[in-house]
Amino acid sequence: MSIQTTPKPTVLSVARKEVKYLLSLADRLYILDALDRILVPDTYGGYNGYTVRSVYFDSIANDDYIDKSEGAAEKKRIRVRVYHPQDSTAKFELKRKYYGQELKESLVITREDAKKLLKGDYSVLLSCQSQMAKYAYKLMTSRLYRPAAMIEYDRRAYTHPHFNTRVTLDNNLRYCDFNYNLFDRRPNFQAGMAADQTILEIKYDRFLFKQIQQVLAECDLTKKPPSKFGTSRQLLRQYYY
């Protein structure tokens, strides 16, 4: 399934709280059944879900990876994302976390501009006419950012029409060590987690409404999920840090 959108000059900014858990297969099936009853499937993938592929950038000194591995209170991610190798557009995203709060800013760019970013040509951000893009340009050029990891996973996503709430279940996490071609049709991925495990992410605004709390109370939420960004950088963890 190819998800297409029209490039827009505006930035989509979303600020929410975020919690993550690692689910067993049994809990995944239980939560999917429950969410089908109380939430609405994401418009991108419906009940069948969709695939997400992202290339993450990091500085020449691996600042973002070090902040993640050391549990810094303030962290950031810069990535380019598509949902199918044939997509004509991509999302350039800057994601920042401050003491449990998350701010994600997204900008739709053309396929050609995404390819330029992957080759280190960050000047395309200056034509986006947004403060987020200008900030990212200064950061990526001054700190010598470059593509550092590519990941892919399968996602089921749900939202609520009246609350700023989003629940996602991601499984089949996979990554590439050296291939950063976002549009490669057959990348040589390696498994990033066990096939029977799922990463549950819950993003909400001021409070999580009662029905979801009741569903979560029936599950084992004691296990911490792996970081997608951290998992994709196995070589750094094994040989450098």
Side-chain angles (χ1 to χ4, degrees):
M1 178 183 64
S2 178
I3 300 170
Q4 304 295 337
T5 54
T6 302
K8 298 180 180 179
T10 56
V11 174
L12 175 63
S13 179
V14 181
R16 289 181 290 206
K17 296 180 182 178
E18 179 185 64
V19 292
K20 298 182 181 182
Y21 305 102
L22 184 65
L23 298 180
S24 65
L25 179 58
D27 284 339
R28 169 188 169 84
L29 296 176
Y30 169 75
I31 288 181
L32 283 174
D33 181 67
L35 294 181
D36 282 340
R37 304 169 190 269
I38 61 177
L39 295 180
V40 179
D42 190 288
T43 54
Y44 282 150
Y47 285 99
N48 296 320
Y50 52 93
T51 298
V52 178
R53 180 185 292 182
S54 301
V55 169
Y56 285 88
F57 294 77
D58 203 349
S59 71
I60 194 67
N62 298 306
D63 293 328
D64 296 346
Y65 174 80
I66 293 173
D67 287 345
K68 190 279 311 174
S69 61
E70 294 183 350
E74 299 182 12
K75 298 183 282 289
K76 63 183 178 300
R77 302 281 187 273
I78 298 177
R79 66 193 179 205
V80 179
R81 169 169 290 184
V82 295
Y83 302 96
H84 192 280
Q86 295 179 341
D87 283 352
S88 62
T89 61
K91 286 184 178 180
F92 176 77
E93 297 185 332
L94 173 62
K95 185 176 181 180
R96 288 174 276 189
K97 292 185 179 181
Y98 304 92
Y99 299 92
Q101 295 287 335
E102 174 191 288
L103 173 65
K104 185 175 75 173
E105 298 172 285
S106 301
L107 185 68
V108 178
I109 60 176
T110 66
R111 181 185 180 98
E112 292 307 313
D113 281 350
K115 289 181 177 180
K116 290 179 181 179
L117 289 174
L118 295 173
K119 292 180 180 179
D121 180 4
Y122 304 140
S123 64
V124 299
L125 296 172
L126 296 177
S127 63
C128 294
Q129 303 298 317
S130 79
Q131 291 301 316
M132 181 272 277
K134 292 178 181 179
Y135 168 81
Y137 172 79
K138 292 179 180 179
L139 177 66
M140 297 174 78
T141 53
S142 63
R143 303 305 297 269
L144 302 179
Y145 271 65
R146 83 290 188 208
M150 182 164 74
I151 67 167
E152 186 175 276
Y153 50 88
D154 302 321
R155 165 164 285 181
R156 295 282 297 276
Y158 296 84
T159 61
H160 193 285
H162 304 300
F163 295 87
N164 188 19
T165 300
R166 180 175 171 84
V167 180
T168 59
L169 295 95
D170 301 332
N171 66 331
N172 295 325
L173 175 64
R174 44 211 185 262
Y175 69 96
C176 284
D177 282 323
F178 299 108
N179 182 359
Y180 310 128
N181 181 1
L182 193 64
F183 303 102
D184 192 338
R185 296 192 179 187
R186 293 184 178 180
N188 185 24
F189 283 118
Q190 301 181 57
M193 58 188 293
D196 62 348
Q197 293 180 330
T198 294
I199 299 174
L200 171 68
E201 297 184 6
I202 305 172
K203 301 178 178 70
Y204 60 99
D205 198 355
R206 289 169 293 178
F207 63 91
L208 188 62
F209 67 98
K210 186 175 180 180
Q211 291 90 334
I212 294 182
Q213 294 184 37
Q214 291 173 335
V215 170
L216 297 178
E218 300 298 323
C219 301
D220 177 8
L221 303 179
T222 60
K223 297 179 181 178
K224 183 178 179 180
S227 162
K228 299 186 182 81
F229 177 63
T231 297
S232 67
R233 311 203 66 190
Q234 295 284 356
L235 291 179
L236 280 182
R237 184 169 63 182
Q238 184 174 356
Y239 296 108
Y240 297 99
Y241 297 102

